[in-house]
Amino acid sequence: MGESSMMAERRSILPAAVAWHGVRYEPVEAMARFVLRGSDAVCSTAAEVIGLSNPSVLRASHDEHRAILWQGPDEWLILAPEVERVALLQRLETALAQAPHALVDVSHRNVAVRLEGEAATRLLATGIMLDLDEAAFPVGMTTRTLFGKADVTLWRQAPQRFHLETWRSFAPYVIGLLQAGARGL
Amino acid sequence: MSDGFRIKGGRIDRAKPISFSFDGTVYRGYEGDTLASALLANGVHLMGRSFKYHRPRGVLAAGAEEPNALVTVTRGGGRSTPNLRATQVELYEGLQAESQNRFSSLGFDIGEINDLAGPLLGAGFYYKTFMQPKGAWAKLYEPLIRRAAGLGEAPRHPDPDHYANRFAHCDVLVAGGGPAGLAAALAAAQSGARVILADEQNEFGGSLLAETTATIDDQPAQDWVRATIAALNAMPHVTLLPRTTVFGYFQQNFLGLVERVTDHQAAPPSAVARERLWQVRAKEVVLATGAIERPLVFAGNDRPGVMLASAARIFCNRYGVLVGRRVILFTADDSAYAAALDLFRAGATIMAIADLRTNPTGPGVDAARAAKLPVMPGTVIIAAHGRLRADGVTLGAIGEDGAVRAAGDLPCDALLMAGGFTPTVHLFSQSRGKLTYDEARQMFIPGTSVQRERSAGGAKGTFALAAILAEGHAAGRDAAQKAGFTSEAHVAPQAKGDIPVAGGFVGAVPQPKGGVKGKAFVDFQNDVKATDIIAATQEGFRSIEHVKRYTTTGMATDQGKTSNMNALAIAADALDRPLPQVGLTTFRMPYTPVTFGSIAGHARGDLFDPVRQTPIHGWADEQGAAFENVGLWKRAWYFAKPGETMHEAVVRECMTVRRAAGLFDASTLGKIEVVGPDAAEFLNRLYTNPFSKLEVGRCRYGLMLNEAGFVMDDGVIGRLATDRFHVTMTTGGAPRVLAHMEDYLQTEFTDLKVWLTSTTEQWAVIAVQGPRARAIIAPLVEGIDLSAEAMPHMSVKTGTICGVETRLFRVSFTGELGFEINVPSDYGRAVWDAVWAEARKHDVCAYGTEAMHVLRAEKGYIIVGQDTDGTVTPADLGMEWAIGKSKPDFVGKRSLSRSDLVKPNRPQLVGLRTADPGFVPDMGAQIVPVANPAPGSSAQGFVSSSYDSAVLGRSIVMGLVAGGRARMAETVFITRLDGAAAPATIVEPIFYDPDGERLHG
């Protein structure tokens, strides 16, 4: 059997942070990410394990390090620090053992970028069709939508700060589109 | 040249002179000028040549409706915009404009011969003249005609500019910033609604920017405009968009706007977008798009110097330009008197005001008479004279009997037409609203709304300023209220002192008996004359839609903004039918031409579509791999060494895999994690194969059918736990398969407790295939027994590789001993590097998708989408073994027993052994029963896979052949482009290692 116990190096697909006019792009650090599927009670149990509340429709519940993003009537995206990944997965599976559910690790499927600044909303509006006015898309709101031709999950963390989540291979396109959009603000 | 026609006043900035050039001549203008106003100030009326007859043309209008003065503006660096209306081109320092559609110069145009040949070139001329000989149209006539009758030249270079996009939402969108639009925007904004106000011009105000006598709320109209814009600007929930055309009204109150950001700047900053497309979803819309003045139809009405009275007034009052010194007006409308008075006060001599009406009355007429202007009631212009510039007219008097008699000639240098106004209902019509015909005023106005919009002001046929403001105010309030904002009691702005539009005329003006020599134009841009419309009705065309297509009236880039009503009235008169019965043509978007750049936006070059790359892409790129597109993915196609052809590379890659081993990036493989207590049952229903008894740690091939029983995808499915499966599928089919599964789960199998999660991108997949595969990965893997006993073909284990968690599959798409290493994507590259380092000790290579295709074809493994075409069943593929016979049901099962799916002569997958081993047929080649089939006879099938197999030293071919599975050893022929069809023998579709010994090593 193998004699190697070397640890392979992890490589992110995201470029380094950059400031455009009125908005700053930042790669979100590697995180543990799980897709949770099942009944609302399943999410309540999971939320309790994580120490958060079960988010309502189109909302995220979160603390400084962890979050649960509502994705659909039976789907949630759980975000947590990378170091908690293995232990959290185990704790969740233990707590949910009796309830039909699906818990799938997508830590490497998704990547996220953070956009912050007075022009963040306008920049997102170059590719997102939704109304991003605070009255229509308040802080704490999250949804799946399209950014240009890419599927994304958008989460408003503060009036001028957004977390934009997409699949790994779509990241260069999303960031390229943000860069192009920043030119036209 | 001196700008001798510049007068005092206007909204231009005399402190900022600008020099610009037109057809190479340098002129002077001022900031605030348009190209048209600056040229007129320099006495230049001749700005273009007409489309068909190459007649000299001047500017007709002062705005978006201009049909004649089309110019090309070039900026260098590939920037060239044709067909711009000179009336909308804002002047900037160094502007370079060229006239269009002329051979030689504007003043001397060889094409003008067409004008003399006019009688030959009437409507329908092309259809009748250029029919013979056959083929000559496409090769000879059409290119010639297109060259002679054309607009500006399309740019030849890629557009270097940047175009921005913005999605926006508002409560109230106001289209048009004239008096009605301003009043509407103010009322809506005062209610607290989010308002977007867009106007195509550089400043808001519309007709008020040329207003001299009217006051609003006791201040001069232009002061009110300034105050209103200041008030709107101060409100954070109002977005003001000047230089922005609302060009399209789509479904559900979705509107397209294009904002011209830098076209008016002498040196646009390179970091800024040239134009911005606004895609706006508005809760409510106010259409305040105004009205467009109609020309009058008489001989010579297209001479340079003949223009709309409203345009002359705008040039005078807004731009400080006199369009002529000796001016004749020809009117059927009160508004002409306002123009006459303004030009008179500015120093022009009013030679005559010929009024079609026998007894014109009203404040304008009274004021003109008081100023002793020569008002001539019951008078027409029979013809205008002059070639490059109008120099006089022939007047005609309308007698009590209605007959017109010549009443002498008058000289002039400008002739102004006032035929009344046509409401601009383009956007209303695009919104699918139904127009109503106002019989008394001879105009179409907005009738029943279909979407959440309302019109106000000129767009609705309301022309008195007080009424326009009241209507705009009410529309703004109503829109805000319907969007959920209750209005406070603001009052509408009050106006007085204007000379409103009243009167008007449609059709051809009365002529003396026997007609008049000379062309009377209806559609200036497409050179359609009154006689063409009449000719069309004589040819039998009854509907305006047909008249339009026969004569091309209204089909130019201006969409007949100045011509549609006159064309309609002439047709109605010729047909002796009421005007609304002849019909009104459709208004299509865009309102004015929109650049391709603004529509494309960011979707060009690398951002046209997402380009998906695997975590290992960079390595393949460094190795000089050629890539192919598979869906949105880039996949390594082959790895040619220096000097190697593609064929040589593929041969080497295939041979290396068979001899030692090869590494393959399979990361793009679609993956879905199917989890839940009913996961096995769900897969039982979605795939033909049985999954209930599949042991944990084992894999099974899965064949997926659609409801019609046809193969739609396939893949290997591994069971990770009783309730957890790792399902793989084709790269291109992944989204389709997930949608198909979700569809059934959400509609048919709602009883099942199972959930689907796409994990395609969670895992990077490194395939190691070949006899040395185990030896290569063994040093890197921990926690997994790789021996053939512990880990046989079609098994899956979890453990670690290079310290990283892995799902290790023992599977093969090559027929060799093989593993597929799944590791989390961010580790993909590092693990690949480690495996590659091990692999090099065994003298192996990386292989691409082409070698993968050859290797699988040698084994007769199908590729869904290549060996299937959406009409192929498992039986057609000889894959009945993949069907779980004891399963009660699965998607597509019922269809498999349909009579036409069990016919013996269905196309079936077979191998084809070519008589000439060196013959590699084209994929898609036809399979025929004889070498030279009779023309018109049917093929028996086609080649689906065809390669040169290095390991077998001959070609290998698979194809779908009618009844093929029962025709083993029969000879058929495969067509080739370079000669007669070549013979081949039908064989089983497996060519290499038929017993599968290598697979289980």
Side-chain angles (χ1 to χ4, degrees):
Chain A
M1 278 319 325
E3 67 254 17
S4 160
S5 55
M6 56 110 162
M7 182 67 196
E9 174 208 358
R10 184 168 183 167
R11 283 199 201 182
S12 169
I13 196 170
L14 297 171
V18 55
W20 295 310
H21 189 71
V23 56
R24 180 180 159 79
Y25 148 83
E26 232 174 51
V28 171
E29 60 285 358
M31 299 185 89
R33 292 181 167 87
F34 308 121
V35 169
L36 177 64
R37 305 288 301 268
S39 68
D40 202 50
V42 161
C43 184
S44 293
T45 306
E48 208 173 308
V49 170
I50 300 165
L52 296 171
S53 61
N54 181 352
S56 53
V57 172
L58 291 172
R59 290 295 183 277
S61 68
H62 66 100
D63 62 22
E64 206 184 326
H65 300 293
R66 296 157 205 86
I68 305 175
L69 276 58
W70 187 92
Q71 296 265 279
D74 66 349
E75 181 170 354
W76 298 267
L77 180 65
I78 296 168
L79 307 179
E82 227 276 313
V83 293
E84 295 177 10
R85 189 178 63 90
V86 177
L88 184 56
L89 196 60
Q90 252 164 23
R91 284 166 58 214
L92 286 168
E93 285 293 17
T94 305
L96 294 168
Q98 298 311 312
H101 74 281
L103 188 65
V104 176
D105 187 344
V106 293
S107 304
H108 288 244
R109 180 189 77 172
N110 289 16
V111 296
V113 305
R114 194 176 294 117
L115 295 171
E116 185 159 18
E118 57 86 20
T121 312
R122 270 180 290 144
L123 178 55
L124 287 168
T126 62
I128 289 180
M129 285 168 254
L130 298 172
D131 190 353
L132 298 177
D133 188 275
E134 267 196 82
F137 203 102
V139 172
M141 184 163 170
T142 179
T143 186
R144 281 176 163 155
T145 185
L146 285 172
F147 183 67
K149 295 176 184 172
D151 278 304
V152 294
T153 289
L154 180 67
W155 170 25
R156 186 175 217 150
Q157 296 178 320
Q160 297 185 351
R161 192 173 76 241
F162 293 86
H163 173 107
L164 188 69
E165 186 117 357
T166 190
W167 287 4
R168 193 181 194 280
S169 71
F170 286 92
Y173 169 80
V174 167
I175 292 162
L177 214 53
L178 287 168
Q179 207 165 0
R183 266 188 79 178
L185 289 181
Chain B
M1 204 181 259
S2 76
D3 50 354
F5 288 85
R6 187 73 73 177
I7 52 171
K8 275 187 243 163
R11 304 179 63 82
I12 52 164
D13 187 347
R14 285 178 173 71
K16 291 180 182 161
I18 283 172
S19 92
F20 68 100
S21 78
F22 178 63
D23 282 349
T25 307
V26 176
Y27 299 97
R28 189 175 66 183
Y30 296 100
E31 191 164 300
D33 260 325
T34 61
L35 176 61
S37 69
L39 285 173
L40 290 172
N42 287 277
V44 177
H45 275 254
L46 179 60
M47 294 189 203
R49 284 280 174 169
S50 76
F51 185 70
K52 187 160 139 189
Y53 300 113
H54 289 252
R55 284 169 69 99
R57 289 279 168 81
V59 72
L60 177 76
E65 70 273 32
E66 172 58 33
N68 290 333
L70 300 186
V71 298
T72 299
V73 173
T74 51
R75 272 183 186 269
R79 293 174 180 82
S80 170
T81 314
N83 307 334
L84 291 172
R85 294 147 299 280
T87 51
Q88 288 187 303
V89 174
E90 288 182 56
L91 218 56
Y92 55 82
E93 182 61 38
L95 173 94
Q96 287 180 32
E98 298 277 333
S99 60
Q100 301 179 169
N101 199 33
R102 36 116 178 137
F103 300 107
S104 172
S105 74
L106 257 190
F108 177 79
D109 179 351
I110 292 166
E112 200 174 346
I113 189 91
N114 285 1
D115 194 25
L116 303 175
L120 298 174
L121 292 171
F125 161 72
Y126 298 143
Y127 307 126
K128 292 172 183 168
T129 313
F130 297 115
M131 296 298 288
Q132 298 296 330
K134 195 180 172 197
W137 170 257
K139 287 207 176 72
L140 179 66
Y141 298 138
E142 189 182 1
L144 270 175
I145 291 167
R146 286 208 183 275
R147 197 142 54 86
L151 295 164
E153 275 190 42
R156 290 159 199 269
H157 303 285
D159 190 336
D161 285 318
H162 182 74
Y163 295 83
N165 182 59
R166 179 81 57 83
F167 292 103
H169 296 255
C170 65
D171 298 308
V172 180
L173 172 73
V174 181
L182 287 173
L186 189 62
Q190 282 165 343
S191 309
R194 266 196 295 171
V195 175
I196 293 176
L197 171 63
D199 190 277
E200 63 181 5
Q201 302 203 38
N202 63 326
E203 42 178 347
F204 291 98
S207 60
L208 297 180
L209 297 174
E211 183 52 56
T212 48
T213 58
T215 61
I216 302 174
D217 290 345
D218 298 320
Q219 49 186 331
Q222 292 178 32
D223 292 352
W224 178 81
V225 171
R226 199 175 304 124
T228 303
I229 291 301
L232 290 169
N233 247 329
M235 295 193 239
H237 55 291
V238 175
T239 305
L240 294 178
L241 297 177
R243 299 189 176 92
T244 304
T245 305
V246 183
F247 67 82
Y249 200 135
F250 306 85
Q251 304 284 323
Q252 283 110 32
N253 266 19
F254 187 67
L255 293 99
L257 286 59
V258 66
E259 179 187 3
R260 289 167 293 277
V261 182
T262 62
D263 270 3
H264 63 289
Q265 295 175 0
S270 63
V272 172
R274 178 190 173 201
E275 291 182 351
R276 180 178 291 113
L277 180 71
W278 289 76
Q279 302 187 60
V280 179
R281 184 79 65 182
K283 281 197 184 126
E284 299 288 334
V285 171
V286 177
L287 298 173
T289 47
I292 291 171
E293 192 163 28
R294 283 188 302 280
L296 291 159
V297 181
F298 58 89
N301 63 345
D302 67 324
R303 296 299 180 195
V306 182
M307 69 171 70
L308 297 170
S310 59
R313 189 172 184 232
I314 289 167
F315 287 124
C316 176
N317 296 344
R318 179 168 170 187
Y319 299 104
V321 173
L322 216 46
V323 299
R325 302 200 193 285
R326 291 182 302 166
V327 178
I328 296 175
L329 292 100
F330 181 19
T331 184
D333 191 289
D334 293 0
S335 63
Y337 293 89
L341 286 161
D342 285 341
L343 265 67
F344 172 66
R345 286 184 203 118
T349 305
I350 305 300
M351 306 292 289
I353 303 176
D355 200 319
L356 250 174
R357 299 167 297 181
T358 47
N359 186 26
T361 56
V365 183
D366 295 343
R369 284 194 166 121
K372 302 205 166 28
L373 301 187
V375 178
M376 302 170 72
T379 306
V380 299
I381 305 287
I382 292 175
H385 311 299
R387 193 173 73 89
L388 297 177
R389 178 77 185 265
D391 57 13
V393 301
T394 301
L395 296 165
I398 305 174
E400 284 183 8
D401 56 351
V404 175
R405 288 173 193 84
D409 286 6
L410 263 185
C412 68
D413 60 359
L415 170 57
L416 311 183
M417 304 177 281
F421 281 75
T422 303
T424 305
V425 294
H426 297 64
L427 292 175
F428 173 79
S429 185
Q430 287 177 22
S431 81
R432 293 171 296 125
K434 199 169 157 41
L435 293 166
T436 303
Y437 186 63
D438 182 334
E439 185 76 50
R441 299 195 296 161
Q442 294 184 298
M443 60 176 72
F444 285 97
I445 54 174
T448 317
S449 289
V450 171
Q451 300 201 46
R452 296 170 72 99
E453 51 71 36
R454 73 278 300 135
S455 298
K460 203 181 175 184
T462 302
F463 296 122
L465 188 54
I468 289 171
L469 291 166
E471 207 168 86
H473 178 81
R477 267 183 75 141
D478 176 61
Q481 206 164 15
K482 294 224 165 75
F485 295 85
T486 338
S487 181
E488 294 167 42
H490 289 282
V491 292
Q494 304 295 309
K496 52 181 187 263
D498 60 315
I499 298 174
V501 171
F505 183 84
V506 290
V509 304
Q511 289 186 349
K513 229 174 161 170
V516 179
K517 199 164 167 283
K519 296 185 176 75
F521 284 90
V522 175
D523 184 321
F524 291 78
Q525 198 171 102
N526 260 359
D527 264 357
V528 179
K529 312 181 300 298
T531 48
D532 294 325
I533 310 276
I534 293 163
T537 63
Q538 286 165 352
E539 297 270 3
F541 297 101
R542 290 286 175 274
S543 157
I544 194 68
E545 291 287 359
H546 297 150
V547 171
K548 169 180 169 171
R549 277 155 187 82
Y550 189 66
T551 62
T552 73
T553 189
M555 288 171 68
T557 65
D558 66 349
Q559 292 192 49
K561 288 186 177 67
T562 54
S563 66
N564 282 341
M565 283 306 291
N566 283 334
L568 188 54
I570 293 167
D573 189 47
L575 293 165
D576 198 21
R577 291 167 69 197
L579 188 144
Q581 277 185 26
V582 182
L584 186 65
T585 54
T586 313
F587 294 91
R588 293 196 175 85
M589 61 206 70
Y591 174 67
T592 45
V594 174
T595 59
F596 284 113
S598 65
I599 299 290
H602 300 144
R604 56 193 284 192
D606 288 346
L607 295 176
F608 178 71
D609 256 340
V611 177
R612 305 177 71 181
Q613 299 180 351
T614 74
I616 298 151
H617 182 94
W619 184 90
D621 205 22
E622 288 158 23
Q623 301 290 314
F627 292 91
E628 69 166 340
N629 295 327
V630 181
L632 296 174
W633 287 104
K634 292 278 177 205
R635 300 197 72 182
W637 192 13
Y638 58 93
F639 294 83
K641 290 188 168 170
E644 245 181 4
T645 64
M646 174 179 172
H647 183 254
E648 288 161 357
V650 172
V651 164
R652 175 179 50 76
E653 289 170 21
C654 290
M655 291 303 284
T656 308
V657 171
R658 296 272 182 237
R659 177 179 50 75
L663 260 61
F664 178 70
D665 178 6
S667 302
T668 66
L669 202 69
K671 303 167 207 78
I672 297 171
E673 200 144 316
V674 177
V675 183
D678 296 323
E681 175 56 22
F682 176 69
L683 295 176
N684 265 344
R685 297 188 195 180
L686 264 293
Y687 285 88
T688 61
N689 323 61
F691 286 93
S692 307
K693 290 180 185 159
L694 183 67
E695 286 169 40
V696 171
R698 299 306 304 267
C699 302
R700 181 158 290 164
Y701 175 78
L703 194 59
M704 177 177 270
L705 308 185
N706 62 19
E707 202 157 56
F710 298 132
V711 173
M712 67 173 280
D713 209 274
D714 68 349
V716 169
I717 297 167
R719 191 167 203 169
L720 300 168
T722 22
D723 63 349
R724 187 177 295 260
F725 290 82
H726 181 112
V727 178
T728 68
M729 64 227 61
T730 60
T731 295
R736 185 167 57 239
V737 169
L738 183 62
H740 175 79
M741 286 181 166
E742 277 291 357
D743 191 0
Y744 274 96
L745 198 51
Q746 292 179 26
T747 60
E748 301 292 328
F749 306 147
T750 53
D751 56 316
L752 298 184
K753 295 272 178 248
V754 58
W755 294 273
L756 316 169
T757 304
S758 171
T759 49
T760 301
E761 297 228 37
Q762 168 69 13
W763 305 102
V765 183
I766 302 160
V768 186
Q769 299 276 316
R772 307 292 302 154
R774 186 182 288 115
I776 291 167
I777 67 167
L780 304 172
V781 173
E782 283 179 318
I784 302 173
D785 182 351
L786 294 175
S787 67
E789 300 71 39
M791 195 165 183
H793 179 54
M794 294 300 260
S795 58
V796 54
K797 306 268 186 235
T798 56
T800 61
I801 183 164
C802 307
V804 176
E805 64 175 288
T806 181
R807 288 178 180 176
L808 184 65
F809 286 75
R810 177 156 176 213
V811 288
S812 175
F813 199 43
T814 57
E816 301 294 334
L817 164 68
F819 293 90
E820 288 187 359
I821 305 160
N822 285 246
V823 288
S825 292
D826 276 359
Y827 293 114
R829 174 65 194 271
V831 173
W832 173 281
D833 287 344
V835 176
W836 176 246
E838 282 300 325
R840 292 185 70 173
K841 299 175 189 168
H842 299 267
D843 190 24
V844 312
C845 71
Y847 65 99
T849 51
E850 188 64 21
M852 179 268 279
H853 280 204
V854 178
L855 293 166
R856 67 88 202 174
E858 287 171 346
K859 289 291 295 177
Y861 298 152
I862 62 157
I863 288 188
V864 173
Q866 178 173 339
D867 300 299
T868 70
D869 64 359
T871 65
V872 174
T873 67
D876 296 340
L877 295 169
M879 291 173 72
E880 292 95 335
W881 55 266
I883 295 173
K885 304 287 183 304
S886 60
K887 291 205 296 184
D889 203 3
F890 55 82
V891 174
K893 181 180 166 79
R894 171 65 187 85
S895 297
L896 293 181
S897 53
R898 268 167 45 201
S899 57
D900 61 316
L901 293 198
V902 295
K903 278 186 185 163
N905 65 338
R906 286 184 57 78
Q908 294 167 339
L909 189 75
V910 293
L912 294 158
R913 190 181 168 86
T914 55
D916 170 6
F919 171 44
V920 183
D922 296 320
M923 290 196 233
Q926 303 286 295
I927 294 165
V928 291
V930 291
N932 287 299
S937 59
S938 296
Q940 294 186 335
F942 63 92
V943 171
S944 62
S945 290
S946 172
Y947 306 95
D948 178 25
S949 167
V951 74
L952 294 167
R954 57 159 299 121
S955 67
I956 53 168
V957 183
M958 291 196 282
L960 288 157
V961 178
R965 300 208 49 77
R967 294 170 61 185
M968 291 298 151
E970 223 179 87
T971 298
V972 290
F973 293 82
I974 301 173
T975 60
R976 48 195 302 171
L977 295 174
D978 56 355
T985 310
I986 297 181
V987 295
E988 286 293 335
I990 179 161
F991 306 94
Y992 183 69
D993 186 27
D995 299 327
E997 282 162 15
R998 304 178 66 89
L999 200 57
H1000 297 281

